[in-house]
Amino acid sequence: QVQLVESGGGSVQAGGSLRLSCAASGLSYSNYCFAWFRQAPDREREGVATISPDGRYTYYADSVKGRFTISRNNAQNTLYLQMNTLKPEDTAMYYCAAQPRPCGLIFNGSVFTRWGQGTQVTVSS
């Protein structure tokens, strides 16, 4: 059974930092691209960051570039999102998602076959 379990969300003040984790099980982890998506109330889901199977390549949404860093530990089947200089507009539910090979660094949600349940991030001004 494939599971993606996010953790690390919470409430912080603007300018603060959080580190999200996504623990994967039940899949061949190194054969997947992974991504973080987010969805705020009354807004469409948007891609935040994505990473290649070997971790060498990453791609970010313009809104988070320079503030967020995606990484992965293939030995521990874990995906991370380091979020710095958080802004109120970063408030959303954050989801990790897996895209099987052959995969690309894109934010088309339809190519991601596995999704976690999400972790809430709230940034206050």
Side-chain angles (χ1 to χ4, degrees), residues 20-100:
L20 306 184
S21 298
C22 172
S25 60
L27 51 70
S28 182
Y29 187 80
S30 60
N31 284 331
Y32 286 77
C33 291
F34 278 84
W36 289 97
F37 288 81
R38 67 185 181 187
Q39 188 166 19
D42 300 322
R43 297 191 66 177
E44 290 189 358
R45 183 179 62 197
E46 64 172 337
V48 174
T50 184
I51 190 166
S52 61
D54 61 2
R56 292 178 60 190
Y57 303 101
T58 58
Y59 180 74
Y60 296 91
D62 287 343
S63 58
V64 305
K65 202 171 294 182
R67 299 188 298 123
F68 290 11
T69 302
I70 188 172
S71 62
R72 61 191 293 166
N73 184 327
N74 283 3
Q76 296 186 347
N77 289 8
T78 305
L79 178 73
Y80 301 99
L81 185 67
Q82 178 67 43
M83 305 186 295
N84 298 328
T85 319
L86 283 160
K87 304 176 181 180
E89 50 264 43
D90 295 318
T91 295
M93 186 72 79
Y94 283 71
Y95 301 90
C96 67
Q99 179 194 170

Side-chain angles (χ1 to χ4, degrees), residues 7-11 18-20 119-121:
S7 61
S11 297
L18 283 173
R19 189 193 195 202
L20 306 184
T119 186
Q120 177 68 36
V121 172

